[in-house]
mmCIF file of all heavy atoms in Angstrom:
data_model
loop_
_atom_site.group_PDB
_atom_site.id
_atom_site.type_symbol
_atom_site.label_atom_id
_atom_site.label_comp_id
_atom_site.label_asym_id
_atom_site.label_seq_id
_atom_site.Cartn_x
_atom_site.Cartn_y
_atom_site.Cartn_z
ATOM 1 N N SER B 22 50.059 62.871 107.497
ATOM 2 C CA SER B 22 51.063 62.043 108.127
ATOM 3 C C SER B 22 50.586 60.681 108.373
ATOM 4 O O SER B 22 49.434 60.489 108.814
ATOM 5 C CB SER B 22 51.664 62.673 109.267
ATOM 6 O OG SER B 22 52.601 61.878 110.003
ATOM 7 N N CYS B 23 51.463 59.707 108.286
ATOM 8 C CA CYS B 23 51.130 58.294 108.727
ATOM 9 C C CYS B 23 52.409 57.713 109.353
ATOM 10 O O CYS B 23 53.511 57.711 108.784
ATOM 11 C CB CYS B 23 50.822 57.443 107.427
ATOM 12 S SG CYS B 23 50.480 55.745 107.736
ATOM 13 N N ARG B 24 52.243 57.339 110.629
ATOM 14 C CA ARG B 24 53.425 56.944 111.367
ATOM 15 C C ARG B 24 53.198 55.405 111.737
ATOM 16 O O ARG B 24 52.067 55.127 112.333
ATOM 17 C CB ARG B 24 53.701 57.687 112.604
ATOM 18 C CG ARG B 24 54.835 57.240 113.510
ATOM 19 C CD ARG B 24 55.229 58.357 114.444
ATOM 20 N NE ARG B 24 55.929 59.382 113.736
ATOM 21 C CZ ARG B 24 56.345 60.572 114.258
ATOM 22 N NH1 ARG B 24 56.122 60.693 115.638
ATOM 23 N NH2 ARG B 24 56.963 61.489 113.544
ATOM 24 N N ALA B 25 54.105 54.491 111.525
ATOM 25 C CA ALA B 25 54.016 53.157 111.816
ATOM 26 C C ALA B 25 54.699 52.772 113.112
ATOM 27 O O ALA B 25 55.637 53.394 113.515
ATOM 28 C CB ALA B 25 54.650 52.312 110.735
ATOM 29 N N SER B 26 54.132 51.804 113.856
ATOM 30 C CA SER B 26 54.699 51.364 115.142
ATOM 31 C C SER B 26 55.983 50.638 114.985
ATOM 32 O O SER B 26 56.705 50.559 115.932
ATOM 33 C CB SER B 26 53.619 50.539 115.831
ATOM 34 O OG SER B 26 53.321 49.364 115.087
ATOM 35 N N GLN B 27 56.305 50.097 113.779
ATOM 36 C CA GLN B 27 57.560 49.531 113.428
ATOM 37 C C GLN B 27 57.845 49.668 111.998
ATOM 38 O O GLN B 27 56.872 50.033 111.246
ATOM 39 C CB GLN B 27 57.639 48.054 113.906
ATOM 40 C CG GLN B 27 56.562 47.233 113.351
ATOM 41 C CD GLN B 27 56.574 45.839 113.936
ATOM 42 O OE1 GLN B 27 57.384 44.961 113.541
ATOM 43 N NE2 GLN B 27 55.655 45.592 114.876
ATOM 44 N N SER B 28 59.065 49.541 111.666
ATOM 45 C CA SER B 28 59.419 49.806 110.244
ATOM 46 C C SER B 28 58.553 49.016 109.237
ATOM 47 O O SER B 28 58.329 47.764 109.440
ATOM 48 C CB SER B 28 60.886 49.496 110.005
ATOM 49 O OG SER B 28 61.291 49.843 108.751
ATOM 50 N N VAL B 29 58.123 49.704 108.146
ATOM 51 C CA VAL B 29 57.366 49.090 107.127
ATOM 52 C C VAL B 29 58.295 48.445 106.109
ATOM 53 O O VAL B 29 59.142 49.121 105.591
ATOM 54 C CB VAL B 29 56.409 50.064 106.444
ATOM 55 C CG1 VAL B 29 55.684 49.498 105.290
ATOM 56 C CG2 VAL B 29 55.375 50.616 107.439
ATOM 57 N N SER B 30 58.145 47.117 105.998
ATOM 58 C CA SER B 30 59.106 46.394 105.105
ATOM 59 C C SER B 30 59.061 46.884 103.694
ATOM 60 O O SER B 30 58.004 47.047 103.075
ATOM 61 C CB SER B 30 58.897 44.875 105.187
ATOM 62 O OG SER B 30 57.588 44.573 104.721
ATOM 63 N N ASN B 31 60.205 47.134 103.139
ATOM 64 C CA ASN B 31 60.361 47.539 101.708
ATOM 65 C C ASN B 31 59.514 48.680 101.379
ATOM 66 O O ASN B 31 59.116 48.886 100.189
ATOM 67 C CB ASN B 31 60.122 46.339 100.785
ATOM 68 C CG ASN B 31 61.013 45.223 100.959
ATOM 69 O OD1 ASN B 31 62.192 45.369 100.752
ATOM 70 N ND2 ASN B 31 60.482 44.031 101.317
ATOM 71 N N ASN B 32 59.198 49.560 102.360
ATOM 72 C CA ASN B 32 58.239 50.660 102.147
ATOM 73 C C ASN B 32 56.928 50.348 101.409
ATOM 74 O O ASN B 32 56.547 50.993 100.561
ATOM 75 C CB ASN B 32 58.997 51.780 101.291
ATOM 76 C CG ASN B 32 60.137 52.445 102.137
ATOM 77 O OD1 ASN B 32 59.998 52.450 103.351
ATOM 78 N ND2 ASN B 32 61.122 53.011 101.493
ATOM 79 N N TYR B 33 56.456 49.145 101.822
ATOM 80 C CA TYR B 33 55.163 48.728 101.264
ATOM 81 C C TYR B 33 54.025 49.520 102.023
ATOM 82 O O TYR B 33 53.244 48.997 102.747
ATOM 83 C CB TYR B 33 54.956 47.240 101.453
ATOM 84 C CG TYR B 33 55.764 46.349 100.663
ATOM 85 C CD1 TYR B 33 56.337 45.160 101.213
ATOM 86 C CD2 TYR B 33 56.037 46.573 99.296
ATOM 87 C CE1 TYR B 33 57.061 44.323 100.412
ATOM 88 C CE2 TYR B 33 56.810 45.801 98.523
ATOM 89 C CZ TYR B 33 57.355 44.596 99.064
ATOM 90 O OH TYR B 33 58.137 43.827 98.341
ATOM 91 N N LEU B 34 53.954 50.809 101.608
ATOM 92 C CA LEU B 34 53.047 51.784 102.236
ATOM 93 C C LEU B 34 52.162 52.385 101.090
ATOM 94 O O LEU B 34 52.759 52.916 100.063
ATOM 95 C CB LEU B 34 53.752 52.808 102.991
ATOM 96 C CG LEU B 34 52.994 53.752 103.960
ATOM 97 C CD1 LEU B 34 52.121 54.772 103.270
ATOM 98 C CD2 LEU B 34 52.151 52.978 104.940
ATOM 99 N N ALA B 35 50.878 52.321 101.180
ATOM 100 C CA ALA B 35 49.986 52.812 100.180
ATOM 101 C C ALA B 35 49.090 53.904 100.855
ATOM 102 O O ALA B 35 48.828 53.950 102.023
ATOM 103 C CB ALA B 35 49.219 51.723 99.571
ATOM 104 N N TRP B 36 48.419 54.710 99.931
ATOM 105 C CA TRP B 36 47.474 55.743 100.354
ATOM 106 C C TRP B 36 46.238 55.551 99.483
ATOM 107 O O TRP B 36 46.326 55.305 98.311
ATOM 108 C CB TRP B 36 47.980 57.119 100.183
ATOM 109 C CG TRP B 36 49.077 57.508 101.112
ATOM 110 C CD1 TRP B 36 50.449 57.466 100.835
ATOM 111 C CD2 TRP B 36 48.989 58.186 102.402
ATOM 112 N NE1 TRP B 36 51.175 57.921 101.957
ATOM 113 C CE2 TRP B 36 50.251 58.382 102.904
ATOM 114 C CE3 TRP B 36 47.894 58.557 103.140
ATOM 115 C CZ2 TRP B 36 50.463 58.987 104.164
ATOM 116 C CZ3 TRP B 36 48.090 59.101 104.475
ATOM 117 C CH2 TRP B 36 49.400 59.343 104.886
ATOM 118 N N TYR B 37 45.064 55.641 100.195
ATOM 119 C CA TYR B 37 43.767 55.580 99.471
ATOM 120 C C TYR B 37 42.939 56.838 99.834
ATOM 121 O O TYR B 37 43.091 57.418 100.875
ATOM 122 C CB TYR B 37 43.028 54.308 99.938
ATOM 123 C CG TYR B 37 43.725 53.053 99.754
ATOM 124 C CD1 TYR B 37 44.732 52.527 100.563
ATOM 125 C CD2 TYR B 37 43.405 52.232 98.538
ATOM 126 C CE1 TYR B 37 45.336 51.375 100.294
ATOM 127 C CE2 TYR B 37 44.020 51.066 98.316
ATOM 128 C CZ TYR B 37 44.974 50.676 99.243
ATOM 129 O OH TYR B 37 45.623 49.440 99.013
ATOM 130 N N GLN B 38 42.072 57.167 98.820
ATOM 131 C CA GLN B 38 41.097 58.197 99.037
ATOM 132 C C GLN B 38 39.686 57.628 99.026
ATOM 133 O O GLN B 38 39.352 56.692 98.261
ATOM 134 C CB GLN B 38 41.213 59.266 97.862
ATOM 135 C CG GLN B 38 40.213 60.287 97.935
ATOM 136 C CD GLN B 38 40.112 61.003 96.555
ATOM 137 O OE1 GLN B 38 39.670 60.464 95.529
ATOM 138 N NE2 GLN B 38 40.536 62.283 96.521
#
Side-chain angles (χ1 to χ4, degrees):
Chain B
S22 174
C23 177
R24 178 163 291 177
S26 59
Q27 54 188 283
S28 185
V29 176
S30 62
N31 297 301
N32 289 336
Y33 289 141
L34 192 288
W36 290 92
Y37 299 83
Q38 176 193 68

